[in-house]
Structures are given as structure tokens and as C-alpha cells.
Amino acid sequence: MKISEILKNNKVTVSFEVFPPKEWGKLEHTRAIVSEMAKSNPAFMSVTYGAAGTTAGFTSELAGAIKESGVTPLSHLTCLTSTKDKIDSVLDDFAAHGVENILALRGDIPEGFVFPDEQHFHYAYELINTIREKGGFCIGGACYPEIHPESKNRVEDLAHLKEKVDCGLDFLTTQMFFDNEIFLNFKEDCAIKGIDVPIVAGIMPITNANQIKRSIELSNSSVPKKFFKIMERFGGNPDSMKQAGIIYATEQIIDLMANGQNNIHIYTMNKPEVADAIMKGLSHIINE
Ligand code: FAD
């Protein structure tokens, strides 16, 4: 099913993200995680694309596993280090695995990277054009409530986001954020700018003390004082921290929904029990 159809009815949706392993030997384990997560009945499940496309085959395999488990898959795809021919063959592979939905991304620029030639991509919008020309896919893109780290300011970031959406995006998914005010302001700015596709809010449950440092480094997200207090108090006890992280994420989602945000994407970090606990905490709300 196309995600544009899933998002179109103004109903509450909660979807999950999984990431592929780095080695083939661990693929079966990740497949098992996928089928465990499918039991929580997410609206759809996304599978990330390894930096530099080194694990492209794993993404399509897992997308196929998501589909087999009865859930709509969304395959991420990055373009920075690929030629147009390589992207064309990955799109064929996705289609062969029953993938109808792609999150079209540029990918982070590796240190010292030099853009090779015209056959390579520079920005996500070029990938979006390529996928659209190929036809048949519902296309999503990334957005950044706290602006993308390479952008000078919000004006520039939103201008590029608008151009990207106008290339033919069906929906956007946000970078993780921990402060709902930031997201709600961003959503308003998008509306003012005429960005009118559904925006899916990305929520990362922080369930252990090490994860927060890495998550902030990777995402550039600001963390509210309230969350640091939770870390200080419970960070040393893994069970307490996990419980607190699940409750914080659940409360964050409830507050978003109370403010009119219906579409939530959970960065599950491949933890089915965390995803399931959040879904259980929202059971009546999801089925409203
Ligand atoms: P773009 O939309 O191309 O934007 C990148 C930067 O270029 C921005 O600063 C933008 O403002 C600027 N820009 C855009 N167009 C122009 C233009 N015409 N001229 C000048 N500047 C321009 N990475 C992975 O490797 N694998 C994944 O699976 C993955 N999944 C992700 C999922 C989500 C929801 C998010 C938010 C990010 C994900 N990423 C992933 C990270 C992503 O690849 C990086 O954040 C990357 O640096 C930017 O990708 P983009 O698609 O947003 O790029």
C-alpha cells in the first residue's frame, strides 16, 4: 500500500523504523526483530539505508520481510555516493521486493568527500526527480525541525525544503526532536511556506544513558532540561532508565496528538519491547 494513502485520512498513525545489520550473518536476527515488531501493528515500518549504500541489499531484504509480516514497508535510499545507474538498479531491486514507498535522502557527506562527476547526485531533490521519472513509487523526504546542520538559517533551510517537496514528495518525516514546541513551530513555518504534504513526527525513545549522547551528536537535537533531570536521576539504573524513556516518549506523543499531530514515527533502535510498550501506552488513543 502507498503511504500517501495511509496518511490521507486524518487518522492517528504510529509507524516504526528499523535499521539493517552490518553483516549478512545477522540478517536473520533482524528479520526476527521485524516479525516481532509487526505484532504491535504499526501503520508502516521503515528500514534505513546504510551510509554510502554499502548494505543496500539488506534494506531490500528487510523491506521484503516487513511486507511478508503483513506491514507496509518504507525503504530508505541515499544517493550521495551512487551513480544514476546504481540507483536505477536499487529501484528495480526494491520493486522486486514489493516496495512501493521510498524515503529519498541525500546521505551525510563523508569527511574529505569530493563530488565525482555529473553522474553523481548532490542533493536529495535530484534523487526525488530520478525516482519520480522511474514511476510507481510513493516518495517521502527528510526534514529538520532544528534545521539541517549544513543550512545557514531557517529561511534557507525552508526554501530548499519547499523546492524538494515541489519535486514530487508525498510526505515528510522529521529528524528526531525532544521538545514539542520546536516541532509545532516548524510545522507552522512549513504551512506559511506552502509546504502542504503530511509531516510525520520522528520520536526517539531514549532508553539508556549512552544513547542520548550519540543521538544528540548525530541529530543536532536540543534536549529539554526535564529530560536531563530524568537522565541524572535514572541513567545509572538500566531498568529505571528504560521505563522512564518509554514514558517520556509516550507523553511526548500524547502531547503532540493533543496539539493536532496525528502521524508519529518511532525510531525503535530495533527494540520490539520498547515499541510495543509505547503502543500499549497509546492503545485507546490509536484506535480512537
Ligand atoms: P537534502 O534535502 O539534499 O539537504 C541537505 C542539505 O542541503 C540541507 O542543508 C539543505 O538545506 C541543502 N540543500 C538542499 N537543496 C539545496 C540546493 N539546491 N542548493 C543548496 N543547498 C541545498 N542517512 C542515511 O545514510 N541513511 C538513512 O537511512 C537515513 N535516514 C534518515 C531518515 C530521516 C527521517 C532523516 C531526518 C535523516 C536520515 N538520514 C539517513 C540522514 C540524512 O541522509 C542526512 O541528514 C543528510 O545530511 C541530508 O539528507 P537530506 O535528504 O535531508 O538532504
Side-chain angles (χ1 to χ4, degrees), residues 16 32-42 45 69 71 276:
F16 298 163
I33 289 173
V34 162
S35 61
E36 194 53 35
M37 278 194 192
K39 293 180 191 160
S40 302
N41 210 14
M45 238 193 273
S69 70
V71 177
D276 193 55

PDB file of all heavy atoms in Angstrom, residues 16 32-42 45 69 71 276:
ATOM      1  N   PHE A  16       7.002   2.536  12.662  1.00  0.00           N
ATOM      2  CA  PHE A  16       8.291   2.203  13.300  1.00  0.00           C
ATOM      3  C   PHE A  16       9.428   2.284  12.284  1.00  0.00           C
ATOM      4  O   PHE A  16       9.229   2.011  11.109  1.00  0.00           O
ATOM      5  CB  PHE A  16       8.291   0.758  13.814  1.00  0.00           C
ATOM      6  CG  PHE A  16       7.276   0.428  14.874  1.00  0.00           C
ATOM      7  CD1 PHE A  16       6.973  -0.908  15.136  1.00  0.00           C
ATOM      8  CD2 PHE A  16       6.649   1.407  15.629  1.00  0.00           C
ATOM      9  CE1 PHE A  16       6.059  -1.253  16.120  1.00  0.00           C
ATOM     10  CE2 PHE A  16       5.731   1.079  16.617  1.00  0.00           C
ATOM     11  CZ  PHE A  16       5.429  -0.260  16.859  1.00  0.00           C
ATOM     12  N   ALA A  32      13.899 -11.472  12.565  1.00  0.00           N
ATOM     13  CA  ALA A  32      13.102 -11.880  13.740  1.00  0.00           C
ATOM     14  C   ALA A  32      12.585 -10.640  14.480  1.00  0.00           C
ATOM     15  O   ALA A  32      11.447 -10.609  14.952  1.00  0.00           O
ATOM     16  CB  ALA A  32      13.941 -12.760  14.660  1.00  0.00           C
ATOM     17  N   ILE A  33      13.434  -9.588  14.543  1.00  0.00           N
ATOM     18  CA  ILE A  33      13.019  -8.332  15.190  1.00  0.00           C
ATOM     19  C   ILE A  33      11.831  -7.737  14.423  1.00  0.00           C
ATOM     20  O   ILE A  33      10.842  -7.294  15.017  1.00  0.00           O
ATOM     21  CB  ILE A  33      14.207  -7.337  15.235  1.00  0.00           C
ATOM     22  CG1 ILE A  33      15.239  -7.827  16.257  1.00  0.00           C
ATOM     23  CG2 ILE A  33      13.747  -5.916  15.558  1.00  0.00           C
ATOM     24  CD1 ILE A  33      16.532  -7.030  16.277  1.00  0.00           C
ATOM     25  N   VAL A  34      11.944  -7.767  13.089  1.00  0.00           N
ATOM     26  CA  VAL A  34      10.864  -7.222  12.247  1.00  0.00           C
ATOM     27  C   VAL A  34       9.551  -7.959  12.521  1.00  0.00           C
ATOM     28  O   VAL A  34       8.498  -7.340  12.729  1.00  0.00           O
ATOM     29  CB  VAL A  34      11.246  -7.331  10.745  1.00  0.00           C
ATOM     30  CG1 VAL A  34      10.034  -7.206   9.842  1.00  0.00           C
ATOM     31  CG2 VAL A  34      12.287  -6.274  10.382  1.00  0.00           C
ATOM     32  N   SER A  35       9.610  -9.306  12.566  1.00  0.00           N
ATOM     33  CA  SER A  35       8.325 -10.005  12.737  1.00  0.00           C
ATOM     34  C   SER A  35       7.778  -9.811  14.147  1.00  0.00           C
ATOM     35  O   SER A  35       6.569  -9.754  14.343  1.00  0.00           O
ATOM     36  CB  SER A  35       8.399 -11.472  12.313  1.00  0.00           C
ATOM     37  OG  SER A  35       9.321 -12.141  13.072  1.00  0.00           O
ATOM     38  N   GLU A  36       8.669  -9.627  15.132  1.00  0.00           N
ATOM     39  CA  GLU A  36       8.204  -9.333  16.495  1.00  0.00           C
ATOM     40  C   GLU A  36       7.515  -7.954  16.517  1.00  0.00           C
ATOM     41  O   GLU A  36       6.444  -7.791  17.098  1.00  0.00           O
ATOM     42  CB  GLU A  36       9.426  -9.343  17.434  1.00  0.00           C
ATOM     43  CG  GLU A  36       9.123  -9.396  18.917  1.00  0.00           C
ATOM     44  CD  GLU A  36       8.206 -10.539  19.328  1.00  0.00           C
ATOM     45  OE1 GLU A  36       8.293 -11.635  18.728  1.00  0.00           O
ATOM     46  OE2 GLU A  36       7.378 -10.319  20.226  1.00  0.00           O
ATOM     47  N   MET A  37       8.142  -6.985  15.855  1.00  0.00           N
ATOM     48  CA  MET A  37       7.569  -5.626  15.852  1.00  0.00           C
ATOM     49  C   MET A  37       6.243  -5.563  15.112  1.00  0.00           C
ATOM     50  O   MET A  37       5.362  -4.787  15.473  1.00  0.00           O
ATOM     51  CB  MET A  37       8.536  -4.658  15.182  1.00  0.00           C
ATOM     52  CG  MET A  37       9.593  -4.221  16.133  1.00  0.00           C
ATOM     53  SD  MET A  37      10.428  -2.816  15.439  1.00  0.00           S
ATOM     54  CE  MET A  37      11.797  -2.759  16.551  1.00  0.00           C
ATOM     55  N   ALA A  38       6.120  -6.388  14.069  1.00  0.00           N
ATOM     56  CA  ALA A  38       4.877  -6.368  13.280  1.00  0.00           C
ATOM     57  C   ALA A  38       3.673  -6.702  14.160  1.00  0.00           C
ATOM     58  O   ALA A  38       2.558  -6.234  13.894  1.00  0.00           O
ATOM     59  CB  ALA A  38       4.986  -7.354  12.123  1.00  0.00           C
ATOM     60  N   LYS A  39       3.912  -7.471  15.249  1.00  0.00           N
ATOM     61  CA  LYS A  39       2.797  -7.861  16.133  1.00  0.00           C
ATOM     62  C   LYS A  39       2.181  -6.647  16.831  1.00  0.00           C
ATOM     63  O   LYS A  39       1.052  -6.710  17.289  1.00  0.00           O
ATOM     64  CB  LYS A  39       3.302  -8.860  17.194  1.00  0.00           C
ATOM     65  CG  LYS A  39       3.711 -10.199  16.614  1.00  0.00           C
ATOM     66  CD  LYS A  39       4.199 -11.106  17.731  1.00  0.00           C
ATOM     67  CE  LYS A  39       4.864 -12.358  17.155  1.00  0.00           C
ATOM     68  NZ  LYS A  39       5.734 -13.019  18.111  1.00  0.00           N
ATOM     69  N   SER A  40       2.938  -5.545  16.924  1.00  0.00           N
ATOM     70  CA  SER A  40       2.397  -4.337  17.564  1.00  0.00           C
ATOM     71  C   SER A  40       1.521  -3.530  16.606  1.00  0.00           C
ATOM     72  O   SER A  40       1.004  -2.478  16.968  1.00  0.00           O
ATOM     73  CB  SER A  40       3.531  -3.438  18.060  1.00  0.00           C
ATOM     74  OG  SER A  40       4.336  -4.124  18.958  1.00  0.00           O
ATOM     75  N   ASN A  41       1.422  -4.015  15.347  1.00  0.00           N
ATOM     76  CA  ASN A  41       0.510  -3.411  14.378  1.00  0.00           C
ATOM     77  C   ASN A  41       0.810  -1.945  14.011  1.00  0.00           C
ATOM     78  O   ASN A  41      -0.092  -1.091  14.058  1.00  0.00           O
ATOM     79  CB  ASN A  41      -0.920  -3.533  14.944  1.00  0.00           C
ATOM     80  CG  ASN A  41      -1.926  -3.632  13.829  1.00  0.00           C
ATOM     81  OD1 ASN A  41      -1.550  -3.870  12.682  1.00  0.00           O
ATOM     82  ND2 ASN A  41      -3.192  -3.394  14.156  1.00  0.00           N
ATOM     83  N   PRO A  42       2.059  -1.651  13.627  1.00  0.00           N
ATOM     84  CA  PRO A  42       2.359  -0.279  13.187  1.00  0.00           C
ATOM     85  C   PRO A  42       1.672   0.038  11.853  1.00  0.00           C
ATOM     86  O   PRO A  42       1.364  -0.877  11.089  1.00  0.00           O
ATOM     87  CB  PRO A  42       3.888  -0.298  13.012  1.00  0.00           C
ATOM     88  CG  PRO A  42       4.215  -1.727  12.717  1.00  0.00           C
ATOM     89  CD  PRO A  42       3.220  -2.559  13.488  1.00  0.00           C
ATOM     90  N   MET A  45       6.314   0.307   8.377  1.00  0.00           N
ATOM     91  CA  MET A  45       7.630   0.162   9.010  1.00  0.00           C
ATOM     92  C   MET A  45       8.701   0.577   8.008  1.00  0.00           C
ATOM     93  O   MET A  45       8.675   0.113   6.857  1.00  0.00           O
ATOM     94  CB  MET A  45       7.851  -1.288   9.419  1.00  0.00           C
ATOM     95  CG  MET A  45       8.129  -1.469  10.901  1.00  0.00           C
ATOM     96  SD  MET A  45       8.753  -3.107  11.269  1.00  0.00           S
ATOM     97  CE  MET A  45       7.265  -3.986  11.471  1.00  0.00           C
ATOM     98  N   SER A  69       5.485  -9.835   6.712  1.00  0.00           N
ATOM     99  CA  SER A  69       4.851  -9.856   8.035  1.00  0.00           C
ATOM    100  C   SER A  69       3.512  -9.104   8.036  1.00  0.00           C
ATOM    101  O   SER A  69       2.884  -8.946   9.080  1.00  0.00           O
ATOM    102  CB  SER A  69       5.806  -9.269   9.081  1.00  0.00           C
ATOM    103  OG  SER A  69       5.928  -7.880   8.862  1.00  0.00           O
ATOM    104  N   VAL A  71       2.944  -5.897   7.072  1.00  0.00           N
ATOM    105  CA  VAL A  71       3.032  -4.449   7.314  1.00  0.00           C
ATOM    106  C   VAL A  71       3.574  -3.786   6.036  1.00  0.00           C
ATOM    107  O   VAL A  71       4.408  -4.356   5.330  1.00  0.00           O
ATOM    108  CB  VAL A  71       3.960  -4.157   8.528  1.00  0.00           C
ATOM    109  CG1 VAL A  71       4.128  -2.656   8.743  1.00  0.00           C
ATOM    110  CG2 VAL A  71       3.418  -4.817   9.797  1.00  0.00           C
ATOM    111  N   ASP A 276       6.600  -1.830  21.510  1.00  0.00           N
ATOM    112  CA  ASP A 276       5.332  -2.409  21.972  1.00  0.00           C
ATOM    113  C   ASP A 276       4.816  -1.702  23.226  1.00  0.00           C
ATOM    114  O   ASP A 276       3.611  -1.458  23.357  1.00  0.00           O
ATOM    115  CB  ASP A 276       5.524  -3.907  22.245  1.00  0.00           C
ATOM    116  CG  ASP A 276       4.186  -4.591  22.420  1.00  0.00           C
ATOM    117  OD1 ASP A 276       3.341  -4.467  21.505  1.00  0.00           O
ATOM    118  OD2 ASP A 276       3.951  -5.196  23.483  1.00  0.00           O
TER     119      ASP A 276
END
